Structure formats: structure tokens, C-alpha cells
Amino acid sequence: MKSGRDFDQKKIIGMFDAIAPTYDTTNRLLSFKQDEKWRKDAITRALHWVYAFKGDLQNLRIADVACGTADMLLHLVRHLAQKGSLERIYGIDPSLEMLRLAQEKIARRAQEHATKISLECLEARELKPIESQSLDLITIAYGLRNVLDRRAALGEFSRTLKKGGVLVVLEFMRCDQRGILGTLAHCYTSKILPIFGMLLSRNYKAYAYLPASIEGFISVEELEDELSAVGLEVVEKRHYLYKSASCILAVKNTQGRSCT
Ligand SMILES: C[S@@+](CC[C@H](N)C(=O)[O-])C[C@H]1O[C@@H](n2cnc3c(N)ncnc32)[C@H](O)[C@@H]1O
């Protein structure tokens, strides 16, 4: 089997272009809607930390990186419409097909907030249009695994976050010690889910890539070290479904050690 590192970045983005039309349905069916639950939990926790450092949730500037069809972005918009306010939210993704679907979903579900939403066709490693130290929150859900130049991307996250700004990574991290239930859950995500994914999307390569990319990815502890190297300090870690997925929350340190 190929490892995640055997795929090149262009091909990975091309795979997401190809599976974009079936992405949402496949996700919901195969995760029994758990993907939604974990996204919402990650947002609640992230906003808790934003509040802790900023003191309120008003006029937030946010980037949802690897935004795909805008699920995370739309949860954030809805949440802040009730419990705070948005100045701007960027949806960043290099897949034009994903962004096209994101645009359609925003038009259907959040038309009244559309002027505050900017979709940008970009990779995580180069967030040029976003000014340094301008963001209160960056979210990246099920996306970091696909970013091959992770070091550059984490550097960009550190550059664009304000001091005290929050990064939340929701991801299927590599885990070497899972226990029995964890092994069963991992078996589902790495063996069974790709088979159904292939059948639903009719795209063998994209769903063979999923388990390969998890195996080739880093562990939570390794990510913690990489974050620390760019001045992002992990403040909370949550694991879901016996460590099948993890949510890592980090804050740009306020002591001045950063990439900017
Ligand atoms: C599994 S989807 C996740 C989408 C969305 N965040 C969600 O929660 O459903 C992964 C996304 O990562 C994007 N992606 C792939 N390579 C990327 C890169 N180098 N930088 C940023 N995003 C990337 C893909 O286009 C795809 O939309």
C-alpha cells in the first residue's frame, strides 16, 4: 500500500476536486454524523479559548483552512450569529470544486452573512492575502493531513494569528497505541470506511488515500512539538472515538516567541 507521503500535492488536490460532489453525503453516511459532532465540539472549545484570551467574542477575524464545502465555516457563522459577532471569515482551500460547492452552500444557508465571508483558492502553506497578526482564530478540520508542506503551513498560521489567537486542528492523527476498542475503531476508519467511500464516490484512489494518509501522518505528540517550534503552545487536547480523531487547541504565545 502507498503511504500518504507517496502522493504529491497536486494529485491530492485533484482527488478532492474529483470527490467534491459526493463529499458531504459520503461523510455523513460513513461517520454516522460523528464528523459534525466533532466539528461542533472543536468550535465550542476554540471559542472558549478565544474568549479566555480576548475577553469577548465580538468582531472576530477567522480563517477556516482546508474549508472544503464550508461545513466548519457555516457552523462558525451560525454560532457567532448567536453568541458573538464576525468581522471577517476566510474559507481557504486549493480545490476549486470544493470552493464552488462551498459558495453554493453559503448562498443557500448564510446569504445574510455573505459579505463577511471570503473564499480564497489557496494552499495552507501560503496565506498571502491575510495580514500578519490579524486573526483571532484559525480552524483546520480533517485538512492538515493533506498539507505536504506542513512546516510552511504552521509558520503561516503563526504569522497570521494575533498574539493570544487560537489554532484548532481536528484530525485523524496517527496513533501507535490504541487498545482493543481503539483498534476496532481504527479498523473501521482505515479499512471499512474506504471501501464504502469508494462505492459511494466511485473513486478508488481518493478513498485508498485516506488510510494511507493517516498511517503516514504524525502523532499528537509530534504535532505538539511542531506547533511549539513556531510559537504555538498547546492548551488542550481532546480525543474522539478511542483516539480515532483528535482535536488539538493551541494559542499563539503572548511572550513574543513566534515566526512573525
Ligand atoms: C477531508 S477535506 C476537509 C474539508 C472540511 N474542512 C471539512 O471539515 O469537511 C480536506 C480538504 O483539504 C483540502 N486541501 C488539500 N490540500 C491542501 C493544502 N495543501 N492546503 C489547504 N487545503 C488543502 C482539500 O481540497 C479538501 O477540501
Side-chain angles (χ1 to χ4, degrees), residues 9 12-13 16 23 27 39 66-68 93-95 98 123-124 141-143 146-147:
Q9 189 67 74
I12 292 173
I13 297 166
F16 283 106
Y23 178 77
N27 254 359
R39 276 192 201 92
C67 67
D93 203 289
S95 158
M98 285 286 191
E123 285 189 45
Y142 315 111
N146 308 305
V147 177

Side-chain angles (χ1 to χ4, degrees), residues 24 28 36 39-40 43 47 62-64 67-82 86 89-91 98-114 116-117 119 139 141:
D24 282 350
R28 298 300 174 275
E36 289 267 79
R39 276 192 201 92
K40 286 183 187 162
I43 288 172
L47 291 175
I62 301 177
D64 180 37
C67 67
T69 60
D71 274 347
M72 194 80 174
L73 185 148
L74 285 167
H75 284 313
L76 279 159
V77 169
R78 268 184 237 123
H79 195 109
L80 285 168
Q82 290 168 5
L86 258 182
I89 184 163
Y90 296 93
M98 285 286 191
L99 288 179
R100 195 177 56 73
L101 292 167
Q103 187 70 66
E104 283 176 15
K105 243 153 105 175
I106 291 163
R108 276 199 313 273
R109 302 190 195 167
Q111 188 57 53
E112 68 278 28
H113 303 285
K116 294 182 176 169
I117 304 172
L119 296 182
T139 57

Side-chain angles (χ1 to χ4, degrees), residues 4 24 30 46 53 56 70 76 79 83 100 123 137 143 150-151 153 168 173 185 212 217 219 231 234 236 240 244-245:
D24 282 350
L30 298 183
F53 280 86
D56 62 39
L76 279 159
H79 195 109
K83 299 196 174 149
R100 195 177 56 73
E123 285 189 45
L137 172 63
R150 192 174 55 248
R151 186 188 293 241
V168 55
M173 307 292 296
F217 198 47
S219 64
V234 172
E236 189 179 349
Y240 309 109
S244 295

Side-chain angles (χ1 to χ4, degrees), residues 121-217:
C121 187
L122 291 172
E123 285 189 45
R125 67 186 162 140
E126 210 173 6
L127 303 179
K128 260 194 192 141
I130 306 184
E131 276 173 39
S132 298
Q133 304 217 35
S134 63
L135 298 175
D136 299 290
L137 172 63
I138 296 178
T139 57
I140 178 162
Y142 315 111
L144 194 59
R145 233 175 335 116
N146 308 305
V147 177
L148 297 189
D149 195 350
R150 192 174 55 248
R151 186 188 293 241
L154 298 182
E156 279 294 79
F157 297 169
S158 179
R159 177 184 71 77
T160 52
L161 278 175
K162 293 177 184 169
K163 286 193 176 163
V166 176
L167 167 71
V168 55
V169 178
L170 177 60
E171 193 50 276
F172 296 108
M173 307 292 296
R174 199 193 75 232
C175 179
D176 302 323
Q177 289 178 334
R178 298 176 189 275
I180 295 171
L181 291 175
T183 306
L184 286 177
H186 177 64
C187 187
Y188 176 74
T189 41
S190 65
K191 305 256 184 313
I192 299 170
L193 192 146
I195 295 172
F196 286 107
M198 280 171 212
L199 294 173
L200 287 169
S201 71
R202 304 197 178 279
N203 189 314
Y204 171 81
K205 271 194 192 152
Y207 282 89
Y209 163 73
L210 176 70
S213 67
I214 300 173
E215 292 312 322
F217 198 47

